[in-house]
Amino acid sequence: MRHGEVENPDGVLYGRLPGYHLSELGRRMAERVAEHLAHRDITHVVASPLERAQETAAPIAKVHGLEVGSDERLIEAENIFQGKTFGVGDGALRRPANWPHLRNPFRPSWGEPYIDQVVRMMAALEAARDAARGHEAVCVSHQLPIWTVRSFVERRRLWHDPRRRQCTLASLTTFTFVGDRIVSVGYTEPALDLVPPHLRAGAKPVKGAGKVRGFGA
């Protein structure tokens, strides 16, 4: 699961920075997904250590009488632009100081290599599978790592246009295992009606949209 909307009035790319919590809307998203999953056979709930992920996981764990675990492997992707504004239409791509970090979109040169994200996310999925064998587990993570590991499992190239990620706020990307093998991938958006239109999967970028709550991953 991707976490819910974050309180981010300055519109920064918060990345792995501490102190970024769910907004009121984000908490509603988390509650909505908890209701959606209330009758599922969930025996294990784990999340990225970042506040927004832990807070998203909390109502799901509560419904099932579980504690939220923490797994560093589910953390947000590292990004050199963390702490800065980097939105559509803000001129970031025209700043010469940023150019060296943008030289290789295939790795990518501005942050954690895609393949490294795959390795750690697959390890986290396998750990959750083992913890909930015969049942279901919920892992709360962040948009880019989720999309990257899904692309790997579905045998797509890892480099991509960020605007084409199918990983809306509070969405569920489901990996079904038979034994130790992933046999299918699913995707649902239980809180879609709560997601602002410009933040939905496939939405066209809006100039200045980086300066709204929830900007980032």
Side-chain angles (χ1 to χ4, degrees):
M1 176 182 177
R2 183 185 173 192
H3 62 79
E5 189 200 49
V6 175
E7 190 66 43
N8 181 20
D10 296 325
V12 301
L13 184 66
Y14 36 76
R16 294 180 176 180
L17 292 174
Y20 283 88
H21 298 266
L22 292 183
S23 65
E24 177 58 33
L25 180 58
R27 289 190 287 274
R28 287 170 56 199
M29 291 177 181
E31 292 288 350
R32 172 70 64 79
V33 177
E35 294 171 4
H36 177 77
L37 296 175
H39 301 294
R40 304 294 301 192
D41 184 23
I42 294 168
T43 60
H44 182 69
V45 179
V46 66
S48 155
L50 296 172
E51 294 97 332
R52 57 192 185 271
Q54 290 283 316
E55 291 164 2
T56 298
I60 299 171
K62 183 178 179 180
V63 165
H64 293 278
L66 302 170
E67 297 293 326
V68 179
S70 181
D71 191 334
E72 287 278 352
R73 294 171 294 193
L74 296 170
I75 202 166
E76 174 62 288
E78 190 176 25
N79 193 308
I80 194 69
F81 298 111
Q82 174 178 292
K84 301 177 182 179
T85 58
F86 200 83
V88 175
D90 69 358
L93 297 178
R94 294 193 297 272
R95 298 172 194 162
N98 290 336
W99 294 349
H101 304 301
L102 302 172
R103 67 187 181 277
N104 183 2
F106 306 108
R107 186 177 186 267
S109 52
W110 56 82
E112 182 182 12
Y114 293 127
I115 191 60
D116 290 359
Q117 295 177 51
V118 167
V119 170
R120 63 177 174 84
M121 288 291 287
M122 284 299 299
L125 286 179
E126 290 164 0
R129 174 203 65 199
D130 292 343
R133 279 213 182 256
H135 306 279
E136 295 177 281
V138 174
C139 304
V140 181
S141 187
H142 308 267
Q143 185 189 60
L144 179 54
I146 294 170
W147 181 249
T148 301
V149 74
R150 177 181 171 183
S151 296
F152 173 79
V153 170
E154 295 184 327
R155 299 186 178 183
R156 289 192 302 273
R157 67 190 185 204
L158 301 184
W159 60 273
H160 59 278
D161 182 341
R163 297 169 296 183
R164 297 187 179 276
R165 294 173 189 160
Q166 188 184 42
C167 193
T168 300
L169 290 165
S171 61
L172 295 167
T173 300
T174 305
F175 299 86
T176 301
F177 286 85
V178 171
D180 292 343
R181 186 169 63 91
I182 295 174
V183 296
S184 67
V185 178
Y187 179 78
T188 54
E189 299 174 329
L192 182 61
D193 61 303
L194 299 177
V195 179
H198 70 279
L199 294 177
R200 296 179 184 179
K204 293 182 179 180
V206 177
K207 186 174 182 179
K211 295 188 180 300
V212 296
R213 293 180 311 164
F215 178 76

